[in-house]
């Protein structure tokens, strides 16, 4: 089972992706977590990505693809993945498809989108900011990340809708209800129904 999560920052991607990974016995891969890990290590990729992450801009495709693609291919060989935060642009989607699309076990089963209004996204990110665990949850960066999402990532939804892969769920419902809605939608996909 191979699932992508495409949603705005603050929509609950990470929480829901890890629940989906557990239910379907697949690996949860989060591009943001992989990048933050490289930043913490101070690796070459981490140093190259740092200023983009801090500003809330997208990291250049080449760096992200290097971090994500091999891991996704390996996970797919072991039964699948929930990929959270990648792709973020149409170009990333097309490049990933060109590099892997021919291999049957890498075929996508669903692309999950959590719908959350901007006011609510902002409220959630500000709450996370006061918990203080992310460099890019500072107030000035939050609006920029939402803007980047609208301009660069949102158009991906159309791309996947056209391919019949998009599953949209109301991400403003209580967190356990969102999970249940996702299970209801994706259990059918898994059983081929
Ligand atoms: P996230 O944890 O998914 O909100 O990602 C945090 C930050 O990591 C983003 O604001 C970007 O700077 C960077 N990032 C994560 N995934 C990608 C991606 N697929 N392409 C480019 N940058 C990314």
């Amino acid at each position: 089972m191979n699932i992508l999560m495409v949603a705005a920052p603050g929509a609950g991607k990470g929480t829901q992706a890890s629940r989906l990974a557990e239910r379907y016995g697949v690996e949860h891969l989060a591009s943001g977590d992989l990048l933050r890990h490289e930043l913490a290590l101070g690796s070459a990729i981490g140093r190259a990505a740092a200023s983009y992450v801090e500003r809330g801009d997208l990291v250049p495709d080449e760096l992200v693809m290097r971090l994500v693609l091999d891991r996704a291919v390996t996970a797919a060989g072991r039964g699948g993945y929930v990929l959270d935060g990648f792709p973020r642009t149409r170009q990333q989607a097309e490049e990933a498809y060109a590099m892997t699309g021919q291999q049957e076990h890498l075929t996508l089963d669903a692309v999950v989108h959590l719908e959350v209004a901007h006011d609510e996204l902002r409220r959630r990110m500000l709450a996370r900011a006061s918990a203080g665990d992310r460099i890019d949850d500072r107030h000035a960066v939050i609006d920029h990340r939402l803007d980047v999402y609208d301009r660069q990532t949102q158009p991906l939804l159309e791309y996947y809708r056209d391919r019949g892969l998009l599953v949209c769920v109301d991400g403003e419902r209580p967190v356990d209800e969102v999970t249940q809605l996702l299970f209801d939608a994706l259990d059918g996909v898994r059983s081929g129904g």
Side-chain angles (χ1 to χ4, degrees), residues 83-177:
L83 190 43
D84 140 19
F86 179 92
R88 280 289 226 276
T89 63
R90 177 131 182 186
Q91 177 145 350
Q92 287 180 3
E94 286 175 355
E95 273 184 45
Y97 181 74
M99 289 166 80
T100 61
Q102 297 78 356
Q103 300 169 51
E104 202 170 331
H105 70 292
L106 291 172
T107 307
L108 289 177
D109 294 293
V111 177
V112 168
H113 174 58
L114 306 172
E115 290 169 309
V116 179
H118 272 203
D119 285 353
E120 175 63 10
L121 293 170
R122 218 173 268 115
R123 195 190 62 71
R124 292 182 187 180
M125 282 194 278
L126 287 171
R128 199 161 66 177
S130 53
D133 55 356
R134 278 185 53 164
I135 45 173
D136 55 354
D137 276 340
R138 285 174 292 115
H139 295 217
V141 181
I142 286 175
D143 281 338
H144 183 60
R145 287 167 64 210
L146 289 175
D147 189 47
V148 167
Y149 172 79
D150 285 345
R151 281 186 293 111
Q152 299 186 263
T153 306
Q154 168 95 18
L156 264 184
L157 298 178
E158 217 44 59
Y159 175 80
Y160 289 122
R161 183 175 286 121
D162 288 348
R163 282 160 183 72
L165 287 168
L166 196 65
V167 171
C168 286
V169 159
D170 179 357
E172 295 198 23
R173 307 274 279 270
V175 61
D176 291 342
E177 271 182 44

Side-chain angles (χ1 to χ4, degrees), residues 7-10 13 30-36 39 49-61 63-65 68 84-89 92 125 128 134 136-137 141 145 148 153:
K13 283 195 288 347
S31 55
D33 288 347
L34 293 172
L35 282 164
R36 280 184 289 277
L39 257 65
S51 65
Y52 296 93
V53 175
E54 278 165 33
R55 284 196 306 272
D57 280 325
L58 295 184
V59 168
D61 290 349
L63 295 177
V64 178
M65 311 280 282
V68 171
D84 140 19
F86 179 92
R88 280 289 226 276
T89 63
Q92 287 180 3
M125 282 194 278
R128 199 161 66 177
R134 278 185 53 164
D136 55 354
D137 276 340
V141 181
R145 287 167 64 210
V148 167
T153 306

Side-chain angles (χ1 to χ4, degrees), residues 27 29 68-81 105-106:
E27 198 170 334
L29 290 170
V68 171
L69 275 189
D70 284 353
R71 287 176 173 82
V73 170
T74 305
R78 295 189 188 130
Y81 57 76
H105 70 292
L106 291 172

